[in-house]
Amino acid sequence: MTDSGRSTAPEHLGRSRAGVTAIFCLNGFLAALWVAHIPVITERTGTSHELLGGLLLLVGAAAFVGMQVCGHLIDRVGSRTTTIAAAVVLCPAMLGPVLATDPVGLACALALFGFANGSLDVSMNAQAVVVERIYRRPIMSAFHGFFSVGGLLGSGAVALGLWMQWPVVATVAVLAGIGLVVVAVAARGIVARGGAPVSVSAQGAPGGDADTESPQPGVPASPDAPRVRWWREVDLRRLSVMAALAFVLMLAEGTSYDWSALHVVETFGTREAVGAIAFASFSAAMMVARFVVDPIAARVGPVSVVRGGAVIGAVGMVIVLVPSTPTTSSAIVAIIGWTIFGIGLAGLIPQIFTAAGNLTEHSSGRAISMVVGCGYLGMLAGPAIVGVISGHSSLRLGLTPVLVALAFAVVAAGVVAAPDRGERTSRV
């Protein structure tokens, strides 16, 4: 990689992508350490279910604050610094919840965990936009796929530790230490301040003027550049629609996490194990589909991916909601519906994050933080909305807001179109 940024060897491209991939995988891994240990932690601290609900809201609030603070820092110091710093803080922060002995200590530990996790979520997505711009073809969905892989590995590691009856604190300490090693290795590939290692034309397409560097998302402007209020260089209408899209789509995703298993159990009278299959099918379908979305996006463009994925997701949700007879065959149909729903949702959020990162030249950190933050709020709100509606009617009716969210995605998909070059993404 040359200092001028005009050429990049293939090995440097691969190193950059591998570094960001490792961070995504690590984030999913660390998040799973907390989620999979919730039963152990609540028992250790004497936390009731009601109090746990409040603590989960605390995690979400701390994460949202972390996202907004990090978005500002990204625009000042670059996404490389914030990504590494957030990952370094998050690894040891995992020890806090398992060391807590009472609800107050747990609340403090979760506030730090949420803040660091939210910061890493924004910074790694900003860094992913930079690397995607270097590649000049869609790769964002694969990054999110590796986040899912990390979650699977983390859950497996926790299950193994609990099965073998290893000390929880020691297990988390070792895994957090491994995480720090991953950060140290991955840092070598994370794009440094000063610009991407490859020249991109102003149109974002290959074959542009080699002497023209396109502004890189997540990379701060030159100190000599005139300071402009960040909202003045952003199309606020587009940003607002992107934020709304992220909110409704992650609302749909969050609904699946909390209600898919319960829907199958309550609606069809199946055993809990069958309900777990519904959630596992959704998660597995989403993870696998994320690894095949990028080539599709390169061929048909992000707008078609969002619109088509929303339609597929809606078809899956209709299949979920139609059967009501408490039979095994109806449960199987519903599980198939949840699987199709996962396939449809898989590639939607990555397209929105990429569009947000490319919306502005020098303030992409705050643009991404707004979109990611609104998406996070949607994931928190989704299960609650379903619960309120279900409490006054039925779970089937409670799931209908998901269809409304997907309908909105079909209508608003045009907002993710690549600026100044139409919908189609350049192929390499």
Side-chain angles (χ1 to χ4, degrees):
M1 186 183 306
T2 64
D3 292 336
S4 66
R6 296 184 185 179
S7 64
T8 301
E11 61 268 22
H12 291 118
L13 283 173
R15 184 185 302 169
S16 297
R17 183 172 184 176
V20 178
T21 294
I23 295 296
F24 269 81
C25 191
L26 175 65
N27 191 204
F29 183 86
L30 295 175
L33 292 189
W34 149 243
V35 173
H37 274 124
I38 285 179
V40 175
I41 293 169
T42 53
E43 181 179 357
R44 177 187 178 95
T45 57
T47 302
S48 65
H49 288 179
E50 182 179 2
L51 182 56
L52 177 62
L55 291 176
L56 293 176
L57 289 177
L58 174 63
V59 173
F64 185 81
V65 172
M67 289 173 184
Q68 306 316 308
V69 171
C70 187
H72 177 74
L73 290 176
I74 287 171
D75 294 333
R76 291 184 65 87
V77 302
S79 59
R80 181 181 193 274
T81 300
T82 53
T83 297
I84 295 172
V88 168
V89 172
L90 183 59
C91 288
M94 301 309 304
L95 279 169
V98 296
L99 285 172
T101 57
D102 56 65
V104 175
L106 181 58
C108 295
L110 290 179
L112 176 60
F113 164 73
F115 185 90
N117 190 61
S119 298
L120 183 58
D121 199 345
V122 168
S123 58
M124 71 182 187
N125 275 288
Q127 181 69 197
V129 173
V130 177
V131 176
E132 187 176 53
R133 288 285 297 275
I134 296 170
Y135 265 75
R136 293 179 289 181
R137 60 181 171 85
I139 58 174
M140 177 67 85
S141 186
F143 287 135
H144 285 252
F146 276 104
F147 176 88
S148 300
V149 170
L152 182 63
L153 293 175
S155 300
V158 172
L160 176 62
L162 296 176
W163 179 266
M164 300 297 293
Q165 297 184 336
W166 294 335
V168 172
V169 174
T171 300
V172 174
V174 170
L175 295 176
I178 293 173
L180 289 173
V181 173
V182 171
V183 175
V185 175
R188 298 180 57 205
I190 296 178
V191 176
R193 178 173 182 169
V198 92
S199 172
V200 184
S201 73
Q203 305 304 317
D209 185 352
D211 294 327
T212 303
E213 275 196 19
S214 177
Q216 298 300 318
V219 178
S222 166
D224 298 328
R227 292 188 178 275
V228 180
R229 297 290 184 184
W230 74 273
W231 57 84
R232 292 182 179 175
E233 61 177 52
V234 176
D235 185 337
L236 291 179
R237 186 194 66 82
R238 291 192 68 195
L239 180 62
S240 299
V241 176
M242 288 178 191
L245 261 180
F247 180 89
V248 299
L249 290 176
M250 293 189 74
L251 179 151
E253 187 175 333
T255 297
S256 305
Y257 290 142
D258 285 15
W259 290 99
S260 56
L262 190 60
H263 164 261
V264 172
V265 172
E266 288 194 354
T267 304
F268 309 109
T270 66
R271 293 180 298 173
E272 286 78 3
V274 178
I277 292 174
F279 173 69
S281 299
F282 165 80
S283 300
M286 197 168 193
M287 180 181 68
V288 173
R290 279 174 168 168
F291 289 107
V292 300
V293 166
D294 289 329
I296 297 174
R299 179 171 296 276
V300 304
V303 174
S304 295
V305 168
V306 172
R307 191 164 285 149
V311 170
I312 293 172
V315 170
M317 183 51 60
V318 169
I319 294 174
V320 167
L321 296 176
V322 165
S324 58
T325 307
T327 62
T328 301
S329 58
S330 294
I332 292 174
V333 170
I335 291 172
I336 293 173
W338 283 114
T339 303
I340 296 173
F341 184 65
I343 293 173
L345 258 61
L348 308 191
I349 287 296
Q351 310 307 314
I352 298 170
F353 287 178
T354 291
N358 289 315
L359 190 59
T360 172
E361 294 183 0
H362 303 308
S363 300
S364 61
R366 276 165 283 194
I368 292 177
S369 70
M370 290 291 293
V371 173
V372 175
C374 287
Y376 201 85
L377 292 178
M379 181 166 284
L380 293 175
I385 292 173
V386 173
V388 170
I389 297 176
S390 300
H392 290 83
S393 55
S394 66
L395 182 52
R396 291 179 69 202
L397 185 61
L399 292 171
T400 54
V402 173
L403 289 173
V404 177
L406 294 174
F408 175 73
V410 171
V411 174
V415 76
V416 303
D420 299 327
R421 62 180 184 273
E423 177 188 352
R424 188 171 296 277
T425 305
S426 301
R427 280 176 275 175
V428 175

